Amino acid sequence: MNHSYPWLRSIARVISFLAACTLLGFYINELTLILLIGVFGLLGWHYWRLYRLNHWLWHSKKISPPTARGIWSHIYQGIYGANLKSRNKRKALGEIIRRFRQGSEALPDAAIIVDGCGDITWCNRLARIELGLSWPDDMGKKVYECINDKQFVSFYHANSFAQPIEIISPINPNKVLELRVVPYEDEQLMVLFRDVTRLTQIEKMRKDFVANVSHELKTPLTVINGYLEMLPLNGDVPEPMMVKAISEMRTQSLRMQSLIEELLVLSRIEASTERAFEKLVNVPQLLWQIQIEAEALNRDRKHKLFFDISPILYVYGNENELRSAFSNLIFNGIHYTPNGGVIEVKWGLEGKQVKFSVKDNGEGIASEHIKRLTERFYRVDKARSRTTGGSGLGLSIVKHVLSHHNSVLNIESKLGKGSTFSCCFSPEQTYIVEKPIGTL
Ligand code: ADP
């Protein structure tokens, strides 16, 4: 667009117009009148143009300017050009805001922008979901009134934002949110909330785990220490006392050993990166071996043990892990069933799936305990479980093994009637052999 205007030509035009008026004035001998008419005509024409400009600026919906000539055409084009420029700028600005909004909506955290007076000026979608803010109703409200958490309110007023804090979600008491305040220019604050429920759970599990392991190891160590302190360093020890001390210390050290072995098994399974489905496991053979061990364990308990094992069903998996899981379930049946009970172990097809189950008619488990049984160190009756030598890790191992084999542990139990522990393997994971290898 040409920005310079031919002023000289325009002035020349006005001068020529006035010269023509002067000539005409001389000619008809009315110079003053004709000049006045000419000047007022010129003025009127410009006023008319000003009126059109004003109308276009304030009342017309048209963006393009009305047609005009001379200086007015130049002015219209100038205004129109400036208008277009600012429209484009506004468009670009709108695009930047839209992108910023999209970016902040994609944030994995809930975000709120607060001004120097504590008023909410903006929040993203997650803030509405996680903190229960409603938009635009909460715009301009005080942030500490909308998130009415005692800890947050005092943190906000303390005005010291170096460290994040953790608060309970205002809309879900089971959620923990980490809150971080980032001040930026013009006293604006960005308040970010991150869901750290899982992290706090893991941290709690870690603390519980350390406390549990220490507790489990402390008890046998205390017993061993107690006996060691009772035994004189030199001099004779009465034989009955010696026998009791040695036997008790042996039991306790075996307990510690088995606890540590189970912990190692558990951590090995958890850390295992081995693909479970590469090797075919001869499960019938494995269960017959466990049957021999179970019968030895059952010698004093006098349970009736029934093993119903299909010899043709193999599974793709890890033999040691499966041995550990199946033996844990079978030995638990023996341990937690009063003497003379009935324990049935089955390995066979159920529909298209292959099912392993251990059914006992023991004491059963109350429903409130069932969902917690696979937690580490969880025992229904701690005192009783210790006398059986249980560490509370067995079912935790079973759960991990089964999850490594894409299966889950099902527990059905009725107090006083008995329990059934079972798991299934999908047809893709199993293999039906034509000629079974080996029998009991
Ligand atoms: P433990 O080493 O103490 O046996 P487990 O993880 O194997 O630990 O079992 C957890 C708890 O589940 C046991 O302490 C026991 O209270 C309960 N439990 C396991 N199996 C049975 C069962 N067949 N009948 C009754 N209770 C059982």
Side-chain angles (χ1 to χ4, degrees):
M1 193 189 289
N2 185 11
H3 295 286
S4 58
Y5 182 74
W7 285 106
L8 279 179
R9 203 175 346 139
S10 173
I11 291 168
R13 247 192 244 145
V14 173
I15 291 171
S16 335
F17 173 70
L18 289 177
C21 288
T22 312
L23 277 178
L24 183 67
F26 272 126
Y27 185 68
I28 58 167
N29 212 12
E30 286 289 354
L31 178 66
T32 322
L33 180 69
I34 296 298
L35 268 179
L36 269 177
I37 291 173
V39 168
F40 273 108
L42 205 61
L43 205 62
W45 182 77
H46 279 295
Y47 255 99
W48 164 241
R49 280 292 157 204
L50 273 177
Y51 167 78
R52 296 274 314 262
L53 171 67
N54 184 59
H55 181 80
W56 177 60
L57 285 177
W58 293 101
H59 305 293
S60 170
K61 286 194 176 105
K62 278 189 188 163
I63 293 169
S64 56
T67 46
R69 293 177 56 202
I71 180 74
W72 287 104
S73 161
H74 198 70
I75 289 171
Y76 277 130
Q77 289 307 328
I79 295 173
Y80 179 62
N83 240 346
L84 273 187
K85 245 192 237 166
S86 84
R87 256 168 75 96
N88 289 343
K89 264 192 194 155
R90 253 182 295 150
K91 239 187 181 174
L93 216 61
E95 181 62 16
I96 291 172
I97 292 175
R98 195 183 63 82
R99 271 204 231 131
F100 166 77
R101 288 236 160 115
Q102 270 183 347
S104 50
E105 293 299 359
L107 272 179
D109 302 338
I112 304 177
I113 305 258
V114 177
D115 67 12
C117 308
D119 296 340
I120 299 176
T121 54
W122 178 81
C123 73
N124 68 357
R125 200 172 56 92
L126 257 181
R128 281 166 254 155
I129 297 171
E130 296 278 25
L131 306 165
L133 294 182
S134 63
W135 201 252
D137 300 357
D138 286 338
M139 186 169 161
K141 286 192 186 162
K142 300 280 178 221
V143 67
Y144 42 83
E145 281 166 11
C146 292
I147 300 160
N148 199 1
D149 177 280
K150 251 192 197 160
Q151 221 188 329
F152 170 65
V153 176
S154 51
F155 172 73
Y156 184 83
H157 289 304
N159 210 17
S160 151
F161 305 128
Q163 294 297 324
I165 58 161
E166 281 179 10
I167 63 165
I168 302 293
S169 156
I171 56 163
N172 183 350
N174 298 321
K175 261 194 185 173
V176 183
L177 303 174
E178 183 193 75
L179 188 159
R180 197 176 277 277
V181 177
V182 190
Y184 63 104
E185 64 176 326
D186 296 341
E187 296 188 325
Q188 301 260 344
L189 299 176
M190 183 182 264
V191 192
L192 294 166
F193 298 80
R194 172 169 296 182
D195 185 352
V196 289
T197 316
R198 176 122 182 84
L199 278 179
T200 36
Q201 272 169 354
I202 291 172
E203 180 61 7
K204 185 176 176 305
M205 270 164 67
R206 191 188 62 80
K207 283 186 187 153
D208 287 354
F209 181 72
V210 173
N212 277 324
V213 172
S214 325
H215 180 76
E216 295 294 329
L217 290 175
K218 203 173 144 198
T219 317
L221 272 175
T222 312
V223 176
I224 293 174
N225 255 341
Y227 278 106
L228 285 175
E229 271 169 20
M230 267 165 56
L231 295 175
L233 278 178
N234 43 34
D236 284 342
V237 181
E239 203 185 303
M241 185 181 167
M242 189 62 136
V243 171
K244 174 133 177 48
I246 290 177
S247 118
E248 195 57 37
M249 286 195 287
R250 195 176 286 159
T251 315
Q252 295 302 335
S253 67
L254 282 176
R255 231 182 103 61
M256 280 197 289
Q257 193 182 347
S258 85
L259 180 74
I260 288 166
E261 270 164 16
E262 288 200 336
L263 276 173
L264 286 174
V265 171
L266 198 56
S267 76
R268 210 175 304 131
I269 296 168
E270 271 182 325
S272 165
T273 49
E274 185 196 330
R275 280 195 293 247
F277 309 112
E278 278 181 356
K279 290 188 185 128
L280 196 57
V281 182
N282 182 344
V283 178
Q285 184 72 41
L286 187 118
L287 289 174
W288 289 320
Q289 284 164 2
I290 299 175
Q291 184 178 356
I292 297 171
E293 292 164 35
E295 272 158 7
L297 189 71
N298 187 41
R299 218 158 281 146
D300 302 332
R301 310 299 306 263
K302 307 273 185 297
H303 297 307
K304 288 190 188 79
L305 299 185
F306 296 103
F307 277 74
D308 177 6
I309 314 286
S310 163
I312 54 165
L313 298 173
Y314 289 24
V315 154
Y316 286 99
N318 179 307
E319 181 164 344
N320 283 335
E321 288 185 12
L322 290 173
R323 182 193 310 278
S324 181
F326 294 156
S327 57
N328 256 306
L329 294 177
I330 296 171
F331 298 163
N332 268 355
I334 296 175
H335 284 314
Y336 297 107
T337 303
N339 288 359
V342 179
I343 292 152
E344 295 168 57
V345 179
K346 274 192 186 165
W347 173 249
L349 273 174
E350 191 174 89
K352 283 188 173 172
Q353 298 208 311
V354 177
K355 186 173 177 183
F356 170 79
S357 64
V358 181
K359 184 175 175 202
D360 65 56
N361 63 347
E363 58 205 45
I365 307 156
S367 58
E368 70 265 26
H369 295 295
I370 290 183
K371 55 181 177 302
R372 297 199 57 195
L373 283 186
T374 54
E375 286 175 24
R376 281 162 208 215
F377 299 109
Y378 190 83
R379 284 170 290 210
V380 176
D381 177 348
K382 287 205 175 202
R384 252 216 73 209
S385 194
R386 280 211 185 94
T387 58
T388 65
S391 61
L393 290 172
L395 292 181
S396 199
I397 293 175
V398 174
K399 177 182 137 178
H400 277 91
V401 168
L402 293 180
S403 132
H404 197 196
H405 288 79
N406 283 356
S407 180
V408 284
L409 177 66
N410 303 307
I411 307 172
E412 292 160 55
S413 190
K414 265 199 181 146
L415 261 185
K417 297 254 185 244
S419 321
T420 304
F421 290 77
S422 64
C423 60
C424 290
F425 298 93
S426 68
E428 292 75 34
Q429 238 173 297
T430 46
Y431 184 76
I432 302 178
V433 288
E434 282 168 13
K435 257 195 188 164
I437 313 162
T439 48
L440 182 64

mmCIF file of all heavy atoms in Angstrom, residues 325-351:
data_model
loop_
_atom_site.group_PDB
_atom_site.id
_atom_site.type_symbol
_atom_site.label_atom_id
_atom_site.label_comp_id
_atom_site.label_asym_id
_atom_site.label_seq_id
_atom_site.Cartn_x
_atom_site.Cartn_y
_atom_site.Cartn_z
ATOM 1 N N ALA A 325 4.251 -71.492 44.784
ATOM 2 C CA ALA A 325 2.850 -71.087 44.969
ATOM 3 C C ALA A 325 1.980 -72.279 45.363
ATOM 4 O O ALA A 325 1.240 -72.232 46.360
ATOM 5 C CB ALA A 325 2.331 -70.467 43.676
ATOM 6 N N PHE A 326 2.098 -73.404 44.607
ATOM 7 C CA PHE A 326 1.231 -74.559 44.882
ATOM 8 C C PHE A 326 1.539 -75.154 46.255
ATOM 9 O O PHE A 326 0.640 -75.510 47.012
ATOM 10 C CB PHE A 326 1.411 -75.633 43.796
ATOM 11 C CG PHE A 326 0.934 -75.195 42.432
ATOM 12 C CD1 PHE A 326 1.430 -75.764 41.266
ATOM 13 C CD2 PHE A 326 -0.045 -74.213 42.316
ATOM 14 C CE1 PHE A 326 0.986 -75.358 40.008
ATOM 15 C CE2 PHE A 326 -0.501 -73.801 41.068
ATOM 16 C CZ PHE A 326 0.023 -74.368 39.915
ATOM 17 N N SER A 327 2.829 -75.246 46.602
ATOM 18 C CA SER A 327 3.147 -75.866 47.897
ATOM 19 C C SER A 327 2.681 -74.973 49.043
ATOM 20 O O SER A 327 2.188 -75.464 50.059
ATOM 21 C CB SER A 327 4.639 -76.194 48.010
ATOM 22 O OG SER A 327 5.392 -75.036 47.819
ATOM 23 N N ASN A 328 2.793 -73.659 48.874
ATOM 24 C CA ASN A 328 2.306 -72.762 49.926
ATOM 25 C C ASN A 328 0.832 -73.004 50.210
ATOM 26 O O ASN A 328 0.402 -73.071 51.364
ATOM 27 C CB ASN A 328 2.479 -71.304 49.477
ATOM 28 C CG ASN A 328 3.654 -70.647 50.180
ATOM 29 O OD1 ASN A 328 3.719 -70.656 51.395
ATOM 30 N ND2 ASN A 328 4.581 -70.117 49.409
ATOM 31 N N LEU A 329 0.028 -73.127 49.119
ATOM 32 C CA LEU A 329 -1.411 -73.302 49.310
ATOM 33 C C LEU A 329 -1.726 -74.658 49.947
ATOM 34 O O LEU A 329 -2.573 -74.769 50.829
ATOM 35 C CB LEU A 329 -2.137 -73.162 47.962
ATOM 36 C CG LEU A 329 -2.072 -71.763 47.331
ATOM 37 C CD1 LEU A 329 -2.759 -71.755 45.965
ATOM 38 C CD2 LEU A 329 -2.732 -70.728 48.238
ATOM 39 N N ILE A 330 -0.989 -75.686 49.490
ATOM 40 C CA ILE A 330 -1.266 -77.031 50.034
ATOM 41 C C ILE A 330 -0.824 -77.118 51.501
ATOM 42 O O ILE A 330 -1.566 -77.585 52.374
ATOM 43 C CB ILE A 330 -0.559 -78.107 49.174
ATOM 44 C CG1 ILE A 330 -1.160 -78.089 47.753
ATOM 45 C CG2 ILE A 330 -0.700 -79.490 49.801
ATOM 46 C CD1 ILE A 330 -0.406 -78.944 46.733
ATOM 47 N N PHE A 331 0.372 -76.593 51.803
ATOM 48 C CA PHE A 331 0.866 -76.667 53.188
ATOM 49 C C PHE A 331 0.014 -75.812 54.128
ATOM 50 O O PHE A 331 -0.195 -76.163 55.283
ATOM 51 C CB PHE A 331 2.337 -76.249 53.278
ATOM 52 C CG PHE A 331 3.272 -77.145 52.486
ATOM 53 C CD1 PHE A 331 4.561 -76.746 52.156
ATOM 54 C CD2 PHE A 331 2.860 -78.415 52.062
ATOM 55 C CE1 PHE A 331 5.415 -77.570 51.437
ATOM 56 C CE2 PHE A 331 3.707 -79.250 51.326
ATOM 57 C CZ PHE A 331 4.970 -78.825 51.006
ATOM 58 N N ASN A 332 -0.494 -74.679 53.608
ATOM 59 C CA ASN A 332 -1.392 -73.857 54.440
ATOM 60 C C ASN A 332 -2.626 -74.672 54.828
ATOM 61 O O ASN A 332 -3.101 -74.596 55.956
ATOM 62 C CB ASN A 332 -1.853 -72.618 53.665
ATOM 63 C CG ASN A 332 -0.933 -71.435 53.900
ATOM 64 O OD1 ASN A 332 -0.013 -71.504 54.704
ATOM 65 N ND2 ASN A 332 -1.165 -70.349 53.183
ATOM 66 N N GLY A 333 -3.154 -75.424 53.840
ATOM 67 C CA GLY A 333 -4.331 -76.260 54.108
ATOM 68 C C GLY A 333 -4.030 -77.206 55.272
ATOM 69 O O GLY A 333 -4.855 -77.391 56.180
ATOM 70 N N ILE A 334 -2.840 -77.795 55.245
ATOM 71 C CA ILE A 334 -2.467 -78.744 56.309
ATOM 72 C C ILE A 334 -2.314 -78.007 57.644
ATOM 73 O O ILE A 334 -2.814 -78.441 58.683
ATOM 74 C CB ILE A 334 -1.159 -79.482 55.925
ATOM 75 C CG1 ILE A 334 -1.418 -80.329 54.672
ATOM 76 C CG2 ILE A 334 -0.638 -80.336 57.084
ATOM 77 C CD1 ILE A 334 -0.201 -81.027 54.110
ATOM 78 N N HIS A 335 -1.641 -76.828 57.595
ATOM 79 C CA HIS A 335 -1.384 -76.088 58.838
ATOM 80 C C HIS A 335 -2.656 -75.574 59.491
ATOM 81 O O HIS A 335 -2.793 -75.610 60.704
ATOM 82 C CB HIS A 335 -0.503 -74.861 58.535
ATOM 83 C CG HIS A 335 0.930 -75.206 58.303
ATOM 84 N ND1 HIS A 335 1.629 -76.064 59.109
ATOM 85 C CD2 HIS A 335 1.812 -74.788 57.358
ATOM 86 C CE1 HIS A 335 2.863 -76.176 58.664
ATOM 87 N NE2 HIS A 335 3.013 -75.416 57.597
ATOM 88 N N TYR A 336 -3.576 -75.040 58.654
ATOM 89 C CA TYR A 336 -4.718 -74.330 59.247
ATOM 90 C C TYR A 336 -5.992 -75.180 59.307
ATOM 91 O O TYR A 336 -7.087 -74.637 59.425
ATOM 92 C CB TYR A 336 -4.961 -73.014 58.482
ATOM 93 C CG TYR A 336 -3.769 -72.091 58.620
ATOM 94 C CD1 TYR A 336 -2.899 -71.860 57.555
ATOM 95 C CD2 TYR A 336 -3.486 -71.481 59.838
ATOM 96 C CE1 TYR A 336 -1.796 -71.037 57.695
ATOM 97 C CE2 TYR A 336 -2.374 -70.656 59.995
ATOM 98 C CZ TYR A 336 -1.536 -70.446 58.912
ATOM 99 O OH TYR A 336 -0.440 -69.638 59.071
ATOM 100 N N THR A 337 -5.840 -76.496 59.197
ATOM 101 C CA THR A 337 -7.008 -77.366 59.362
ATOM 102 C C THR A 337 -6.762 -78.209 60.619
ATOM 103 O O THR A 337 -5.674 -78.783 60.761
ATOM 104 C CB THR A 337 -7.178 -78.282 58.130
ATOM 105 O OG1 THR A 337 -7.281 -77.450 56.978
ATOM 106 C CG2 THR A 337 -8.407 -79.158 58.224
ATOM 107 N N PRO A 338 -7.719 -78.236 61.529
ATOM 108 C CA PRO A 338 -7.513 -79.029 62.741
ATOM 109 C C PRO A 338 -7.264 -80.497 62.386
ATOM 110 O O PRO A 338 -7.773 -80.991 61.370
ATOM 111 C CB PRO A 338 -8.826 -78.862 63.510
ATOM 112 C CG PRO A 338 -9.499 -77.689 62.897
ATOM 113 C CD PRO A 338 -8.999 -77.552 61.508
ATOM 114 N N ASN A 339 -6.499 -81.183 63.235
ATOM 115 C CA ASN A 339 -6.111 -82.578 62.969
ATOM 116 C C ASN A 339 -7.295 -83.420 62.493
ATOM 117 O O ASN A 339 -8.414 -83.254 62.967
ATOM 118 C CB ASN A 339 -5.542 -83.219 64.241
ATOM 119 C CG ASN A 339 -4.167 -82.630 64.543
ATOM 120 O OD1 ASN A 339 -3.676 -81.784 63.780
ATOM 121 N ND2 ASN A 339 -3.565 -83.070 65.634
ATOM 122 N N GLY A 340 -7.000 -84.288 61.563
ATOM 123 C CA GLY A 340 -8.035 -85.213 61.076
ATOM 124 C C GLY A 340 -8.961 -84.597 60.044
ATOM 125 O O GLY A 340 -10.040 -85.128 59.792
ATOM 126 N N GLY A 341 -8.575 -83.493 59.451
ATOM 127 C CA GLY A 341 -9.434 -82.826 58.455
ATOM 128 C C GLY A 341 -9.325 -83.493 57.086
ATOM 129 O O GLY A 341 -8.648 -84.511 56.908
ATOM 130 N N VAL A 342 -10.016 -82.876 56.122
ATOM 131 C CA VAL A 342 -9.975 -83.409 54.755
ATOM 132 C C VAL A 342 -9.429 -82.302 53.838
ATOM 133 O O VAL A 342 -9.933 -81.173 53.853
ATOM 134 C CB VAL A 342 -11.394 -83.814 54.275
ATOM 135 C CG1 VAL A 342 -11.349 -84.341 52.847
ATOM 136 C CG2 VAL A 342 -11.988 -84.850 55.209
ATOM 137 N N ILE A 343 -8.410 -82.663 53.077
ATOM 138 C CA ILE A 343 -7.840 -81.671 52.153
ATOM 139 C C ILE A 343 -7.824 -82.254 50.752
ATOM 140 O O ILE A 343 -7.310 -83.351 50.525
ATOM 141 C CB ILE A 343 -6.423 -81.267 52.607
ATOM 142 C CG1 ILE A 343 -6.557 -80.483 53.919
ATOM 143 C CG2 ILE A 343 -5.728 -80.388 51.577
ATOM 144 C CD1 ILE A 343 -5.397 -80.582 54.797
ATOM 145 N N GLU A 344 -8.446 -81.513 49.821
ATOM 146 C CA GLU A 344 -8.508 -82.011 48.441
ATOM 147 C C GLU A 344 -7.751 -81.070 47.522
ATOM 148 O O GLU A 344 -8.023 -79.867 47.499
ATOM 149 C CB GLU A 344 -9.958 -82.059 47.963
ATOM 150 C CG GLU A 344 -10.816 -83.047 48.730
ATOM 151 C CD GLU A 344 -12.283 -82.840 48.407
ATOM 152 O OE1 GLU A 344 -12.656 -82.911 47.226
ATOM 153 O OE2 GLU A 344 -13.040 -82.570 49.343
ATOM 154 N N VAL A 345 -6.811 -81.664 46.775
ATOM 155 C CA VAL A 345 -6.047 -80.865 45.813
ATOM 156 C C VAL A 345 -6.464 -81.311 44.413
ATOM 157 O O VAL A 345 -6.515 -82.515 44.144
ATOM 158 C CB VAL A 345 -4.525 -81.095 46.010
ATOM 159 C CG1 VAL A 345 -3.728 -80.284 44.997
ATOM 160 C CG2 VAL A 345 -4.120 -80.744 47.435
ATOM 161 N N LYS A 346 -6.820 -80.336 43.559
ATOM 162 C CA LYS A 346 -7.269 -80.710 42.209
ATOM 163 C C LYS A 346 -6.490 -79.941 41.161
ATOM 164 O O LYS A 346 -6.198 -78.744 41.330
ATOM 165 C CB LYS A 346 -8.753 -80.363 42.046
ATOM 166 C CG LYS A 346 -9.648 -81.445 42.541
ATOM 167 C CD LYS A 346 -11.059 -81.167 42.079
ATOM 168 C CE LYS A 346 -11.998 -82.188 42.711
ATOM 169 N NZ LYS A 346 -13.365 -81.783 42.610
ATOM 170 N N TRP A 347 -6.174 -80.641 40.098
ATOM 171 C CA TRP A 347 -5.552 -80.011 38.935
ATOM 172 C C TRP A 347 -6.261 -80.577 37.721
ATOM 173 O O TRP A 347 -6.127 -81.761 37.397
ATOM 174 C CB TRP A 347 -4.052 -80.338 38.906
ATOM 175 C CG TRP A 347 -3.327 -79.878 37.659
ATOM 176 C CD1 TRP A 347 -2.812 -80.687 36.696
ATOM 177 C CD2 TRP A 347 -3.017 -78.544 37.271
ATOM 178 N NE1 TRP A 347 -2.199 -79.943 35.721
ATOM 179 C CE2 TRP A 347 -2.317 -78.601 36.055
ATOM 180 C CE3 TRP A 347 -3.278 -77.289 37.826
ATOM 181 C CZ2 TRP A 347 -1.858 -77.478 35.384
ATOM 182 C CZ3 TRP A 347 -2.820 -76.170 37.159
ATOM 183 C CH2 TRP A 347 -2.114 -76.265 35.956
ATOM 184 N N GLY A 348 -7.089 -79.766 37.083
ATOM 185 C CA GLY A 348 -7.852 -80.324 35.966
ATOM 186 C C GLY A 348 -8.533 -79.237 35.163
ATOM 187 O O GLY A 348 -8.423 -78.041 35.472
ATOM 188 N N LEU A 349 -9.242 -79.687 34.137
ATOM 189 C CA LEU A 349 -9.931 -78.737 33.260
ATOM 190 C C LEU A 349 -11.232 -78.276 33.893
ATOM 191 O O LEU A 349 -11.964 -79.061 34.502
ATOM 192 C CB LEU A 349 -10.254 -79.410 31.929
ATOM 193 C CG LEU A 349 -9.173 -79.360 30.846
ATOM 194 C CD1 LEU A 349 -9.597 -80.184 29.651
ATOM 195 C CD2 LEU A 349 -8.901 -77.908 30.420
ATOM 196 N N GLU A 350 -11.502 -76.980 33.766
ATOM 197 C CA GLU A 350 -12.818 -76.472 34.152
ATOM 198 C C GLU A 350 -13.254 -75.588 33.003
ATOM 199 O O GLU A 350 -12.737 -74.485 32.844
ATOM 200 C CB GLU A 350 -12.752 -75.704 35.458
ATOM 201 C CG GLU A 350 -14.156 -75.432 35.963
ATOM 202 C CD GLU A 350 -14.172 -74.807 37.333
ATOM 203 O OE1 GLU A 350 -14.129 -73.576 37.391
ATOM 204 O OE2 GLU A 350 -14.212 -75.546 38.324
ATOM 205 N N GLY A 351 -14.164 -76.107 32.195
ATOM 206 C CA GLY A 351 -14.479 -75.418 30.939
ATOM 207 C C GLY A 351 -13.244 -75.473 30.058
ATOM 208 O O GLY A 351 -12.624 -76.527 29.900
#
